[in-house]
Amino acid sequence: MAPERDVADVLIIGAGASGAAAAWSLASGGLDVVCLEQGDWVDPTDYPHHSPDWELHRQTDFAKDPNVRQRPEDYPLNNDDTPIVPLMFNAVGGSTVHWSGHFPRFRPSDFRVKTLDDVADDWPLTYWDLEPYYEENDANIGVSGLEGDPSGPPRLPRQTPPLGLDAAARAYIRGLKKLGWHWWPTENALITAPFGEGRQACNYCGPCDMGCPRGAMSSAHVTYWPAALAKGARLITRARVREITVDRRGRASGAVYYTPDGGIAQQRARVVIVACNGVGTPRLLLNSVSSLFPHGLANSNGLVGANLMFHPIAFVSGVFSDRVDGHAGPVGLLLHCHEFYETDLSRGFVRGIKIQLCRESGPVSTAIGNFPGEAVPWGAAHHRVQRERSAHSLAIAIMVEDLPEAHNRVELDPTLTDSNGIPAPRVSYTVSENSRRALDFGIARARELLEAAGATEIMHQALARNSGWHLMGTARMGDNPGKSVIDRYGRAHDVPNLFIIDGSIFVTSAAVNPTSTIQALALYVSDWLKHNFREVA
Amino acid sequence: MSEQHIDGEILTARQVALLAAIQNRLIPAQDEMPGAGDAGCAQTVDGFLKERTALRRPILAALNEIEATAGAYAQASADDEASTHVAFLALSDAERDAALRAVEAAHPDLFNTLLRQTYTAYYTNPAVLRILGWRPPQPEGYPTPPPFDEKLLDNVKRRGKLWRDA
């Protein structure tokens, strides 16, 4: 039977990494899918990469912080009570429009931290449950890299080869060999050779963090969305959802949203999936108040918004006497070191760190000290120091596993709203003592590495404020309805036809970038939903 | 004033002149490189202020602090204040730098905002970028490096499995 057009089988809210993957999967399974997205398609001609003032756009319309960017589709955040600012992009493709594209998988131990290390909680699923979905996702979007990394389980050959061996890589490898540490070329959501339709391979231009005008980054708007639309999924852009509606039985019935002209519309659906990221999802659920759910949807235990995890990040920057051309090549992608990834309590903290060996960017980035956190001095020495650092610097990112703590949370701000009057999020977060010790350990290791690599000057930024790329934990997954928001299949304990699939469902954060795992989870949940749709709907 | 300045979109002619003089101390002329004020960065920053209202308060406050500090210096050195509308311009280069360092120490956030916007204006200036040899990232990109050599990983592979079963 043809679906009623006014009642979709599935409504997905949010067209980012997870929403796009789910839209493709569910539409491929024959379900009628509608997606509401508050942003729009990014016009490929809008990217600043062709313009002399391209670095200015990091501080304006392509800034990663929505409070700075202030596009009409952005919503404000109250960040007064957090040392790390949440970063995101609101558009078709979500934050995959402008990201580094580092695409590691979680390790098996990352799903078992309670059992192995007696901290936080185990996930209700394992690496091996997700493994087929990791592979499926990689095959769908195109991942560059090299299989065989001994710091994680085996995997199928990557879709395109690893990034090439440039001056930056050679400098790092020099240091890594001296120290005898683990290293491997990064896995990247970026193609280094032809893959997919309408996409060009990376040409090493550098600023992936402002988007990719070539379609080389395997972002959701160039991978999953064209495929999902071809399968019949419907995507409604510039549709800002105010609340998820429920029927008298307490089941999700759809969503009310604002149209671009400020009007109000409704989309009804048999199943609702929330995919708005670790800040946007709790915000929407907390804004979806009704007589049946007076404290917000799926929030009977008060855990919606709690346990916010970032990956606290420190940057350590090295200056080399020889050119390393840090601006030439994907800014965040090169090599990674997992020497210190698994727990070793003798280091003074539990769980581990990732050492991500990155590059640099253009002359503005160098001058303002984007990575080292220390600007080039002004005055008589300015030109000399700028010359010494420009094209001669590399930056290392230290990423640590952030453990869940209930007091780190997303709530609704009592006064701040977006342009439609919808209450905005307020973020409260502190860096834990364990994370601080892990960061300090990582900074010391990165300094050792840069020294071994031959850096002549080393600077560090102990905690990068603009580093809240990874938003996790605010609607956590679990078997115990008293301790989690959704079950092992992504279904809300309180609302049987409501699913959540973005980073908010993470139980723990691992010490690696989350998007590979977010998309694998979205495919896993979608697969379960396809097979159980009649029962759920 | 060494040259005529006109009102900007947000800044007055006097503020443009003050900002340009400050910028010529932040990034001074040297060899082939122009000073930031001479390169037109005051007008560029004025354009930033038009587009980004959040910058106006700190930039204007920084200018006020610097001018107030310069006024104190000018008085201390018994300069004739009436000879100029901008006290900062009456100072020697060394006095200008001392005034800037005093404001940097007393109001680091304001000063750093001014510095950051000056650096951004300077290093996005087409003439400056031409001298330095920078071009936009696209459409050329940068040369594709040689393929990765897997032999480099032999030592890493020899160490064997590094992950925990779970």
Side-chain angles (χ1 to χ4, degrees), chain A residues 49-54 56 59-60 108-109 112 116-117 128 146 150-153 162-166 173 177 180-185 203-205 207 213-214 327-328 339 342-343 351 363-364 367-368 376-380 382-383 386 390, chain B residues 25-31 33-34 48 52-53 97 100-101 104 111 115-117 119-120 122-124 126 129 132 134-150 152-153 155-157 159-166:
Chain A
H49 302 57
H50 292 74
S51 171
D53 69 351
W54 60 280
L56 171 63
Q59 301 174 33
T60 58
S109 67
R112 286 284 173 273
L116 294 173
D117 295 323
W128 307 107
L146 187 66
S151 75
L163 290 161
L165 193 59
D166 54 20
I173 292 168
K177 280 193 158 176
W181 291 353
H182 165 271
W183 65 277
W184 205 262
N203 69 351
Y204 290 77
C205 87
R214 295 170 62 84
H327 57 283
E339 184 69 28
E342 303 283 0
T343 293
R351 304 299 300 155
V364 172
I368 66 177
V376 168
W378 61 270
H382 177 82
H383 292 293
Q386 176 76 5
S390 207
Chain B
R25 298 311 303 157
L26 299 179
I27 306 180
Q30 197 177 81
D31 303 326
M33 301 306 299
F48 296 167
R52 294 151 68 194
T53 54
D97 289 356
L100 291 174
R101 295 208 186 281
E104 183 179 27
F111 186 87
L115 185 68
R116 182 185 173 100
Q117 296 313 316
Y119 283 0
T120 302
Y122 191 74
Y123 289 108
T124 54
L129 294 175
L132 293 171
W134 285 96
R135 58 170 170 75
Q138 292 288 3
E140 296 102 310
Y142 290 99
T144 301
F148 184 79
D149 179 2
E150 202 175 336
L152 292 167
L153 289 162
N155 286 342
V156 180
K157 289 178 185 171
R159 289 183 57 191
K161 177 184 160 196
L162 291 173
W163 53 280
R164 283 194 286 181
D165 284 308

Side-chain angles (χ1 to χ4, degrees), chain B:
Chain B
M1 292 184 216
S2 57
E3 59 183 284
Q4 282 298 108
H5 286 277
I6 58 171
D7 284 344
E9 297 276 1
I10 302 298
L11 301 177
T12 64
R14 186 172 173 276
Q15 288 169 325
V16 171
L18 171 62
L19 178 55
I22 292 167
Q23 290 175 325
N24 278 334
R25 298 311 303 157
L26 299 179
I27 306 180
Q30 197 177 81
D31 303 326
E32 76 281 20
M33 301 306 299
D38 298 336
C41 291
Q43 288 79 4
T44 310
V45 169
D46 180 62
F48 296 167
L49 300 182
K50 185 186 175 202
E51 299 296 324
R52 294 151 68 194
T53 54
L55 284 176
R56 292 179 193 171
R57 189 199 60 78
I59 294 286
L60 291 171
L63 291 177
N64 287 340
E65 289 295 337
I66 292 166
E67 178 63 359
T69 306
Y73 274 89
Q75 249 173 353
S77 54
D79 266 0
D80 177 11
E81 278 185 80
S83 68
T84 175
H85 294 295
V86 182
F88 188 80
L89 297 182
L91 304 184
S92 68
D93 283 351
E95 287 171 329
R96 290 180 187 192
D97 289 356
L100 291 174
R101 295 208 186 281
V103 174
E104 183 179 27
H107 305 282
D109 289 347
L110 298 179
F111 186 87
N112 286 333
T113 301
L114 181 64
L115 185 68
R116 182 185 173 100
Q117 296 313 316
T118 296
Y119 283 0
T120 302
Y122 191 74
Y123 289 108
T124 54
N125 180 303
V128 169
L129 294 175
R130 237 186 337 268
I131 296 168
L132 293 171
W134 285 96
R135 58 170 170 75
Q138 292 288 3
E140 296 102 310
Y142 290 99
T144 301
F148 184 79
D149 179 2
E150 202 175 336
K151 285 200 191 73
L152 292 167
L153 289 162
D154 284 351
N155 286 342
V156 180
K157 289 178 185 171
R158 268 199 288 278
R159 289 183 57 191
K161 177 184 160 196
L162 291 173
W163 53 280
R164 283 194 286 181
D165 284 308

Side-chain angles (χ1 to χ4, degrees), chain A residues 268-288:
Chain A
R268 297 166 63 207
R270 294 181 175 85
V271 169
V272 174
I273 297 180
V274 188
C276 304
N277 83 37
V279 170
T281 286
R283 176 196 183 208
L284 176 58
L285 295 174
L286 293 172
N287 271 319
S288 300

Side-chain angles (χ1 to χ4, degrees), chain A residues 2 33 106 123 188 277 285 287 291 306 338 420 437 506 524:
Chain A
V33 175
F106 277 25
W123 290 55
N188 319 307
N277 83 37
L285 295 174
N287 271 319
S291 56
H338 283 158
N420 290 112
R437 283 200 293 263
F506 281 28
Y524 157 87

Side-chain angles (χ1 to χ4, degrees), chain A residues 7-309:
Chain A
V7 183
D9 287 335
V10 182
L11 167 63
I12 299 172
I13 304 169
S18 62
W24 169 79
S25 174
L26 296 167
S28 300
L31 294 174
D32 176 40
V33 175
V34 171
C35 179
L36 298 175
E37 165 56 49
Q38 66 191 322
D40 208 337
W41 292 89
V42 176
D43 182 337
T45 63
D46 278 352
Y47 292 116
H49 302 57
H50 292 74
S51 171
D53 69 351
W54 60 280
E55 282 195 281
L56 171 63
H57 294 265
R58 274 209 181 93
Q59 301 174 33
T60 58
D61 56 338
F62 278 88
K64 52 204 174 214
D65 178 353
N67 282 353
V68 174
R69 192 171 60 233
Q70 295 185 344
R71 289 182 181 227
E73 59 270 30
D74 290 320
Y75 57 85
L77 293 91
N78 180 341
N79 294 327
D80 291 346
D81 195 23
T82 173
I84 298 175
V85 170
L87 310 174
M88 64 185 77
F89 203 72
N90 295 306
V92 178
S95 299
T96 69
V97 171
H98 72 160
W99 59 337
S100 78
H102 191 27
F103 218 62
R105 298 180 186 179
F106 277 25
R107 271 53 185 164
S109 67
D110 292 325
F111 297 89
R112 286 284 173 273
V113 301
K114 181 69 175 173
T115 300
L116 294 173
D117 295 323
D118 199 25
V119 290
D121 287 297
D122 289 347
W123 290 55
L125 44 75
T126 69
Y127 174 85
W128 307 107
D129 293 323
L130 276 190
E131 188 195 35
Y133 299 98
Y134 277 123
E135 293 290 0
E136 181 184 26
N137 190 54
D138 292 351
N140 285 341
I141 71 170
V143 173
S144 58
L146 187 66
E147 63 275 16
D149 182 351
S151 75
R155 59 204 60 187
L156 295 174
R158 309 293 69 201
Q159 285 67 41
T160 69
L163 290 161
L165 193 59
D166 54 20
R170 285 196 300 271
Y172 279 134
I173 292 168
R174 195 161 56 227
L176 288 158
K177 280 193 158 176
K178 274 189 204 163
L179 296 168
W181 291 353
H182 165 271
W183 65 277
W184 205 262
T186 47
E187 288 181 285
N188 319 307
L190 167 145
I191 53 170
T192 55
F195 181 92
E197 283 179 33
R199 301 175 59 190
Q200 296 174 283
C202 175
N203 69 351
Y204 290 77
C205 87
C208 314
D209 58 315
M210 287 190 283
C212 181
R214 295 170 62 84
M217 301 295 294
S218 301
S219 308
H221 63 300
V222 299
T223 55
Y224 277 118
W225 271 116
L229 295 175
K231 295 286 183 186
R234 291 178 282 155
L235 171 58
I236 303 174
T237 58
R238 302 180 68 197
R240 179 179 268 160
V241 174
R242 185 181 74 190
E243 63 181 295
I244 297 165
T245 53
V246 293
D247 64 17
R248 278 177 296 180
R249 294 176 299 161
R251 293 171 59 86
S253 57
V256 172
Y257 65 96
Y258 287 99
T259 56
D261 59 5
I264 291 179
Q266 182 168 22
Q267 176 64 52
R268 297 166 63 207
R270 294 181 175 85
V271 169
V272 174
I273 297 180
V274 188
C276 304
N277 83 37
V279 170
T281 286
R283 176 196 183 208
L284 176 58
L285 295 174
L286 293 172
N287 271 319
S288 300
V289 172
S290 60
S291 56
L292 288 172
F293 299 99
H295 305 296
L297 197 57
N299 192 32
S300 63
N301 58 18
L303 284 176
V304 168
N307 296 300
L308 171 68
M309 295 175 284

